[in-house]
Amino acid sequence: QHDESRHDSPVRYRDGSVRLRNPNIELMDQDILYHLALGSGSHDLVEMFGDVKFVCMGGTPKRMEQFAEYIMAEIGHKIPAGTALHDISQYSYRYSMYKVGPVLCVSHGMGIPSIGILLHEIIKLMYHAKVKDPIFFRIGTCGGIGIEGGTVVISEEAVDEMLNPYHEQHVLGKKVCRPTTLDAKLVRELKALSHADDPYDTVSGKTMCTSDFYEGQGRLDGAFCEFDENDKKEYMQKLLDAGVINIEMESTAFAALTHFAGIKAAIICVALLDRFKGDQVCAPKEVLNEWQARPQTLVSRYIRRYLQRK
Ligand code: R2B
Ligand code: URA
């Protein structure tokens, strides 16, 4: 049980472990993390997850499995001979989760609602497991604005479709706005880990988060479109003028909910195309696979450096 005298900040215990901004949880005799197929009554969460330091999230189960395999080799983590990594949340049939030593790799699906539900349960998981000072990364894909396909983008700030730097949610029929603050130092540290000889650029700027891939991102190729090419170009220019360099679909929720929980977090996405030049994702599959590994490489460099310094 957490002891009141350990309280340092509204969101952290003095030893760095995650504290919940919800008094109800510690009063419950068990907490079922339904979409993860885990529970505080059915699993020893401290034993299973107490050593986690990094939580890496990305959209698809396959990409996160590949990231788990990749980070396992990168940090030299060994699992018993003849065994394979296994999907801890397999029986949720929702998200996939792999644990590689201190690195938890989880898929978040598409869009704010999907990543929002996951964040509630992962943040509670951090609390139940008594994880100290975790760092969360979203490694994803995005559309670039004036940025070539293959470029890696680190988000300095997330804004919504109206360019507001907050995540708006409706709670009990009221609007609740939470700031989408990201850790500026972490952005600088990540940027410094890009190599001059990487065959691609790594840049940073604002990220716009939308709740739709097509009309919501100004695409002309959806099932519906009631604007023209000129309207789109004008809009892209307006975004660029506001400092927005990429568009994706989870950043506001990810930034706001981690910040509200007092968890350090960063968003690193690879651009799949320059939205000034088109709407369809036409790069061949092999090229897309190579591009999607780029944010993983950057996060791996960060994790390895952290583990070496320990
Ligand atoms: C990027 O890619 C997905 C849409 O294709 C979405 O999850 C996002 O943020
Ligand atoms: N993901 C998005 O949300 N938009 C794009 O254009 C590409 C990937």
Side-chain angles (χ1 to χ4, degrees), residues 121 151 170:
E121 295 185 10
T151 305
H170 300 155

Side-chain angles (χ1 to χ4, degrees), residues 59 108-111 138 140-142 213 217 247-250 272:
H108 60 57
M110 278 194 288
R138 165 167 139 70
T141 61
C142 64
F213 183 81
Q217 295 189 6
I247 312 178
E248 46 76 274
M249 300 180 60
E250 294 84 18
L272 301 185

Side-chain angles (χ1 to χ4, degrees), residues 1-7 12-20 26 46 124 126-132:
Q1 275 301 311
H2 286 300
D3 157 16
E4 279 297 313
S5 65
R6 289 167 64 220
H7 291 185
R12 287 291 191 82
Y13 291 100
R14 202 158 294 152
D15 66 356
S17 53
V18 175
R19 187 178 166 198
L20 295 180
E26 59 187 342
V46 175
K124 291 198 294 174
M126 296 296 103
Y127 162 77
H128 290 302
K130 302 191 187 334
V131 171
K132 294 184 183 65

Side-chain angles (χ1 to χ4, degrees), residues 151-215:
T151 305
V152 173
V153 181
I154 307 168
S155 304
E156 291 175 2
E157 184 177 70
V159 296
D160 70 8
E161 288 150 308
M162 306 308 285
L163 299 176
N164 298 310
Y166 51 73
H167 167 56
E168 182 180 302
Q169 217 188 325
H170 300 155
V171 179
L172 304 185
K174 294 195 185 78
K175 283 182 183 173
V176 173
C177 292
R178 293 180 179 144
T180 48
T181 313
L182 288 162
D183 191 295
K185 181 159 167 258
L186 187 51
V187 172
R188 286 196 302 275
E189 287 171 342
L190 286 165
K191 233 173 147 178
L193 288 169
S194 66
H195 295 168
D197 54 358
D198 284 337
Y200 50 86
D201 289 330
T202 299
V203 299
S204 67
K206 283 188 201 175
T207 298
M208 183 175 77
C209 182
T210 67
S211 52
D212 174 43
F213 183 81
Y214 289 100
E215 294 175 278

Side-chain angles (χ1 to χ4, degrees), residues 143-144 217-221 229 232-233 236 272-282:
Q217 295 189 6
R219 280 190 155 80
L220 300 154
D221 63 341
E229 175 87 36
K232 173 198 156 181
K233 287 264 152 71
M236 292 297 140
L272 301 185
L273 74 169
D274 179 357
R275 293 299 317 288
F276 272 115
K277 297 187 183 145
D279 294 329
Q280 300 238 307
V281 177
C282 7

